[in-house]
Amino acid sequence: MKLLFIADPLAGLKTYKDSTYAMLVEAARRGHGLYAMLAGDLAWRDGRVMGRARAITLADTALNASSRQEPMSSVTELLDSGLRRNDASGERTGDPWFAESEAEWRDLADFDAVIMRTDPPFDQAYLYATWLLEMAERQGARVFNRPQSLRDYNEKLAIARFPQFIAPTLVSNAAALIREFLAQHGDIVVKPLNAMGGSGIFRLRPGDPNLGAILETVTRNGAETIMAQRYLPAIKDGDKRILIIDGEAVPYCLARIPAEGETRGNLAAGGTGVARPLTERDWEIARALGPTLKQAGLLLVGLDVIGDSLTEVNVTSPTCFQEITQQTGFDVAAMFVDALEKAVKGEG
């Protein structure tokens, strides 16, 4: 297959933990052709949706591993074969891990699959990209995740589709309503609707002398709608990332445990990721949501669960592939590429 990844610049990926990187390695191991471009490289020209795509070739360590007579058993072995971090800090040193061709205009329908992996924020540029990708779908492109669902499933607001699994929640731009919600629940978190990685999240309690300033900041003086949720003490045990691939749950989650003195468990905010088997409640949530997410054309989703409560439905660029694989041996990237191959063939 020819696979086009629409992602942030590949040179900036942290290869020791990035899930897009794990997808690329697994796809290369199977002999699929790899291409990459930025969302900003999309264009509608001469009546077609096209992009300035670059052919991607992985470093020799990956290519040699994937051409052995006996195939590698998992993406973990490929990552350990030399493409993983090679210094104590976890950052790559030495030669680049990929080479790329000059960019060429390519019709998106010429690819077997287009994988949208651009990170939030879900801003105007991201919105425009989904419209162009939806136009490409009408011209025959196969886009994952489905562009319409990227718009319909706001990663914070989508939990409202599954009210039986969520904690008390308010969505508003009105400081008075948020203060009322705080008075009712006594301990809450507030967060923007379009960010990622724990950015812009605050924990609020009555009597906080900075309450007014925080509400002015997060709502931009009432111009920005935000989400408030009752604080869940179970965050001390981790903000669990549950991956749903083609409607089925990966049997392990990554519990992201907050650093000392921190409310947020996000790895980007300094949290520590610990892989764990799914609990009965995790399975209940995953099995309830899986068919709906699959029907919506969401091949890959990351559910965030704190304790027994669903807190987010991540559809833009869910992560944690490598952490789960490295700690449990379960090959998440292989499960994803299996699902992608089935979807392209029209199976399942």
Side-chain angles (χ1 to χ4, degrees), residues 127-284:
L127 179 63
Y128 297 151
T130 67
W131 281 330
L132 287 169
L133 289 172
E134 192 169 16
M135 293 166 62
E137 279 188 320
R138 292 196 292 270
Q139 296 175 345
R142 301 293 304 276
V143 183
F144 306 94
N145 286 325
R146 184 178 296 162
Q148 179 181 341
S149 293
L150 288 175
R151 296 194 302 271
D152 291 349
Y153 279 75
N154 173 274
E155 297 189 323
K156 309 299 189 292
L157 290 173
I159 64 170
R161 298 170 179 264
F162 313 103
Q164 69 273 36
F165 297 120
I166 69 174
T169 300
L170 168 73
V171 176
S172 176
N173 63 0
L177 282 181
I178 300 168
R179 287 177 179 272
E180 181 180 307
F181 185 78
L182 173 59
Q184 179 183 0
H185 295 286
D187 196 349
I188 67 172
V189 295
V190 294
K191 54 188 174 182
L193 299 179
N194 66 345
M196 62 170 283
S199 176
I201 295 179
F202 292 88
R203 181 180 178 185
L204 301 177
R205 283 165 281 196
D208 188 328
N210 296 309
L211 177 60
I214 291 172
L215 293 182
E216 290 169 6
T217 299
V218 297
T219 68
R220 293 197 297 120
N221 291 305
E224 189 85 21
T225 299
I226 66 165
M227 173 173 284
Q229 292 176 316
R230 185 180 67 192
Y231 175 74
L232 298 169
I235 184 65
K236 65 179 176 57
D237 298 319
D239 180 354
K240 295 177 286 187
R241 168 58 56 84
I242 300 172
L243 293 169
I244 307 293
I245 298 176
D246 197 27
E248 300 293 330
V250 172
Y252 300 92
C253 68
L254 191 75
R256 297 160 296 172
I257 301 170
E260 184 73 25
E262 177 62 75
T263 297
R264 303 166 297 173
N266 308 76
L267 301 182
T272 300
V274 178
R276 296 172 178 161
L278 300 191
T279 66
E280 289 186 14
R281 175 65 167 182
D282 296 338
W283 278 113
E284 179 186 2

Side-chain angles (χ1 to χ4, degrees), residues 7-76:
D8 296 319
L10 298 187
L13 299 186
K14 295 181 178 178
T15 59
Y16 67 96
K17 70 173 185 175
D18 192 273
S19 294
T20 300
Y21 172 77
M23 295 175 186
L24 289 165
V25 171
E26 178 64 17
R29 186 184 71 81
R30 301 184 187 203
H32 297 311
L34 304 179
Y35 298 80
M37 57 176 279
L38 305 177
D41 290 325
L42 286 166
W44 182 53
R45 54 184 299 191
D46 302 324
R48 303 292 297 182
V49 178
M50 308 184 76
R52 296 180 67 252
R54 291 175 167 82
I56 301 300
T57 303
L58 298 192
D60 287 345
T61 45
L63 296 178
N64 291 340
S66 63
S67 63
R68 293 178 183 177
Q69 290 185 348
E70 294 186 7
M72 304 295 283
S73 63
S74 74
V75 73
T76 305

